[in-house]
């Protein structure tokens, strides 16, 4: 079964994204900040991460940097899903190694299609 880790510090956003993914039949784990996300990724090894940028303790860009620096997680697909959605943010996310970048608000189908595409090509 496919497991997706959703990381967002806003409870309502966490709930919305999680519901979209559960409705598609995926198993969903949750984290409320980057530190918690890193710990869960090391313990649970999800198949994909949906990651907010603006979070306390460790932001999403820092999480991506840490994931890409670790040989065990450098191929883990990461979808950034954030209100921080300027061209510079998208470029920064891409440069750090995000596989996709989706600005909030978004249509549920956009997120589902991105995840399906990444999971179909993932070798993680």
């Amino acid at each position: 079964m496919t497991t997706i880790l959703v990381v967002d510090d806003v409870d309502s956003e966490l709930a919305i994204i999680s519901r979209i993914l559960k409705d598609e039949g995926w198993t969903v784990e949750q984290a409320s900040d980057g530190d918690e996300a890193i710990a869960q990724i090391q313990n649970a090894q999800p198949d994909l991460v949906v990651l907010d940028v603006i979070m306390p303790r460790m932001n999403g860009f820092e999480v991506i940097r840490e994931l890409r620096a670790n040989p065990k997680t450098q191929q883990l697909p990461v979808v950034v899903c954030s209100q921080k959605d300027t061209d510079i943010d998208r470029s920064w996310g891409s440069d750090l190694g995000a596989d996709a970048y989706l600005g909030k608000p978004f249509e549920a189908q956009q997120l589902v299609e991105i995840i399906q595409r990444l999971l179909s090509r993932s070798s993680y």
Side-chain angles (χ1 to χ4, degrees):
M1 178 155 292
T2 299
T3 300
I4 300 173
L5 175 63
V6 179
V7 188
D8 201 307
D9 64 319
V10 178
D11 290 342
S12 60
E13 297 285 337
L14 197 59
I16 290 167
I17 295 170
S18 295
R19 175 56 41 214
I20 292 167
L21 303 183
K22 287 177 182 177
D23 286 349
E24 291 297 316
W26 293 312
T27 300
V28 176
E29 299 293 330
Q30 298 178 336
S32 60
D33 64 47
D35 285 341
E36 187 179 332
I38 293 296
Q40 285 193 26
I41 290 165
Q42 291 171 350
N43 292 328
Q45 300 177 331
D47 298 292
L48 184 139
V49 177
V50 176
L51 181 65
D52 188 20
V53 172
I54 304 169
M55 297 182 294
R57 300 194 319 167
M58 177 186 281
N59 71 45
F61 290 145
E62 292 169 321
V63 171
I64 296 169
R65 188 178 300 119
E66 188 161 326
L67 293 175
R68 296 305 180 239
N70 182 338
K72 292 181 180 180
T73 58
Q74 63 189 183
Q75 298 300 315
L76 176 63
V78 175
V79 177
V80 173
C81 188
S82 179
Q83 290 180 345
K84 194 167 173 56
D85 189 31
T86 67
D87 288 342
I88 291 171
D89 297 320
R90 287 176 173 275
S91 178
W92 185 243
S94 178
D95 289 349
L96 289 172
D99 296 282
Y101 203 111
L102 185 60
K104 293 178 187 174
F106 60 88
E107 295 293 325
Q109 193 58 35
Q110 289 176 291
L111 178 61
V112 169
E113 288 172 2
I114 288 168
I115 291 172
Q116 288 173 334
R117 177 176 46 86
L118 291 174
L119 289 173
S120 71
R121 70 174 201 204
S122 176
S123 62
Y124 177 73

